Amino acid sequence: MENPVVNDNRLTRDDFVGTLFGAAAFQVLNAGNELGLFKLLNERPGLTADEISEALGLLRRPVDVLLLGATALKLTTMSDGGYRNAELIDAMFGTDEWEIITDLITFEAKFVYAPQGDLVESLRDNTNVGLRRFDGEGTDLYHRLPATPHLEQLFYQCMRSWSRLSNPILVAKADLTGARRVLDVGGGDGVNAIELAKANPDVDFTVLDLPGAVAIAKKKIADNGLTDRIEVAEGDIFADTYPKGYDAVLFANQLVIWSPEENLSLLRKAYDALDDGGRVLIFNVMSDDTGDGPLYAALDNLYFTTITASGSTIYPWGQYERWLTEVGFTKVERLPGDTWTPHGVISGVK
Ligand SMILES: C[S@@+](CC[C@H](N)C(=O)[O-])C[C@H]1O[C@@H](n2cnc3c(N)ncnc32)[C@H](O)[C@@H]1O
């Protein structure tokens, strides 16, 4: 008799506990970050609970709550009464990654956590119901942010960190050989244009975005000494015609925000703006064509589903390829990254 196929993906009770209390798991991570536990243990590994209590200025009961949660989640370890960060956390402190991760945790806590509670309504109504938690006018997050300037500043700071986390993939995979000018559509604070400009000294960039983002981009570009190579343009990526004279049009972390119809219209505008031989580059997080992962894309998708815009979603790779072909691009190529986030580049040629 043949052995039955063993399905290693079966849900375990521990998996189920992690999901049932998933919101609590995030709060432990957030508290450990905000209260300084991970920083403390990175600087002074092996402290006891009493020493942690004194160093953080917290009473023993809350410290015990925090340490129980962090240790059960493997964020910290305990042996002989002394606590340390997980090796992975300490490795993040060893590079500038923890600085990025801190912003990501803050972003999840301040922007995503509460509106994500509107998932049920968002699914029922097939729209971003969580946006109701942001003041201001408009049907997408970006048009509401200016109503709360301190939140807008924090948003772009965190967005920059999301992009810094993943844009080494963009820099490694985006082939700008022979290109002279790149239009970065919805380029935010210029984080990607800045890194691409550093890696491609013969290429100039234009960052096109809404006024709030453009104001921040100007400063970041100047801070990096790239004012002569990266210009900024205020505009609406849907309403305004894209300027001509570009060899490549980049959509970075942009086409996850919009519906299929909106994405097709953006890609058509890019096609019209490019000369023959010009390239379109799409860079963002992708889901698998098989529709079952990866976990990062599946969970990150709730931010897009509940908040950003009515039709936002993390599309599978193949969807972008079909759109590019439908619009008329050829030589469509898929370039996955090789880090822990499922970002990648898809390119096409006019
Ligand atoms: C997810 S962010 C990505 C920013 C940047 N490309 C990056 O990867 O860091 C989306 C950007 O699109 C911009 N955006 C959204 N709607 C826009 C519109 N109608 N016109 C111009 N920019 C827009 C937002 O202001 C924001 O900077």
Side-chain angles (χ1 to χ4, degrees):
M1 208 173 83
E2 280 186 31
N3 288 331
V5 176
V6 176
N7 178 357
D8 287 326
N9 265 336
R10 278 176 302 186
L11 181 74
T12 65
R13 290 275 171 184
D14 271 353
D15 293 336
F16 186 72
V17 167
T19 302
L20 180 63
F21 295 110
F26 171 72
Q27 292 302 348
V28 171
L29 176 66
N30 185 43
N33 176 46
E34 196 161 331
L35 297 172
L37 174 68
F38 304 123
K39 186 166 182 297
L40 175 69
L41 291 182
N42 178 256
E43 288 163 358
R44 297 167 60 194
L47 292 183
T48 64
D50 278 335
E51 289 165 335
I52 292 169
S53 162
E54 197 188 330
L56 295 184
L58 293 172
L59 294 174
R60 257 310 287 267
R61 178 184 159 278
V63 163
D64 287 345
V65 170
L66 189 56
L67 290 173
L68 173 62
T71 307
L73 286 167
K74 303 185 198 170
L75 297 166
T76 54
T77 62
M78 194 266 280
S79 80
D80 298 331
Y83 290 86
R84 290 167 190 276
N85 283 334
E87 278 176 30
L88 178 65
I89 302 279
D90 274 339
M92 290 170 172
F93 274 99
T95 62
D96 61 0
E97 193 179 354
W98 185 256
E99 195 186 298
I100 292 175
I101 295 286
T102 294
D103 276 348
L104 307 191
I105 297 169
T106 301
F107 185 81
E108 292 297 311
K110 303 271 189 255
F111 288 93
V112 187
Y113 195 82
Q116 213 162 248
D118 289 328
L119 180 64
V120 172
E121 279 101 329
S122 297
L123 296 179
R124 279 214 177 98
D125 298 352
N126 190 29
T127 193
N128 52 334
V129 175
L131 188 68
R132 66 185 174 183
R133 300 185 191 236
F134 294 85
D135 288 341
E137 301 291 320
T139 54
D140 65 67
L141 177 63
Y142 312 96
H143 284 89
R144 290 207 176 188
L145 286 172
T148 322
H150 75 275
L151 210 59
E152 185 179 41
Q153 289 295 322
L154 182 64
F155 177 83
Y156 283 105
Q157 175 192 318
C158 295
M159 187 55 49
R160 181 174 194 78
S161 286
W162 282 110
S163 294
R164 280 178 64 205
L165 176 76
S166 56
N167 73 9
I169 297 172
L170 173 65
V171 172
K173 304 288 175 182
D175 180 8
L176 295 178
T177 315
R180 286 160 297 116
R181 297 184 71 211
V182 176
L183 180 65
D184 184 1
V185 177
D189 72 350
V191 58
N192 299 312
I194 289 168
E195 291 312 313
L196 286 168
K198 288 179 186 165
N200 297 275
D202 297 329
V203 188
D204 292 343
F205 295 81
T206 300
V207 172
L208 171 67
D209 209 298
L210 298 170
V214 160
I216 301 169
K218 268 187 196 155
K219 184 172 179 318
K220 295 283 177 196
I221 292 163
D223 289 349
N224 281 275
L226 288 165
T227 313
D228 56 333
R229 294 192 41 222
I230 307 177
E231 59 179 24
V232 295
E234 264 182 38
D236 185 299
I237 61 173
F238 288 102
D240 297 331
T241 307
Y242 297 168
K244 300 259 181 191
Y246 290 89
D247 316 289
V249 175
L250 169 65
F251 293 100
N253 300 309
Q254 187 61 238
L255 303 188
V256 280
I257 301 170
W258 311 111
S259 68
E261 297 72 28
E262 288 165 327
N263 282 342
L264 273 169
S265 86
L266 292 175
L267 291 170
R268 286 204 174 96
K269 287 170 74 111
Y271 189 86
D272 292 343
L274 286 165
D275 290 333
D276 284 351
R279 264 165 283 181
V280 65
L281 297 163
I282 299 169
F283 169 70
N284 50 239
V285 57
M286 315 276 181
S287 62
D288 293 340
D289 289 319
T290 43
D292 55 358
L295 186 63
Y296 181 116
L299 298 183
D300 192 18
N301 204 19
L302 267 62
Y303 161 64
F304 294 104
T305 306
T306 55
I307 304 175
T308 45
S310 183
S312 311
T313 205
I314 295 180
Y315 296 98
W317 289 87
Q319 177 67 80
Y320 291 108
E321 292 165 343
R322 287 189 290 279
W323 285 332
L324 288 178
T325 305
E326 185 177 337
V327 168
F329 287 102
T330 59
K331 299 183 186 159
V332 173
E333 201 180 353
R334 175 189 295 214
L335 303 156
D338 36 28
T339 67
W340 63 277
T341 75
H343 287 78
V345 174
I346 298 187
S347 66
V349 176
K350 176 167 173 180

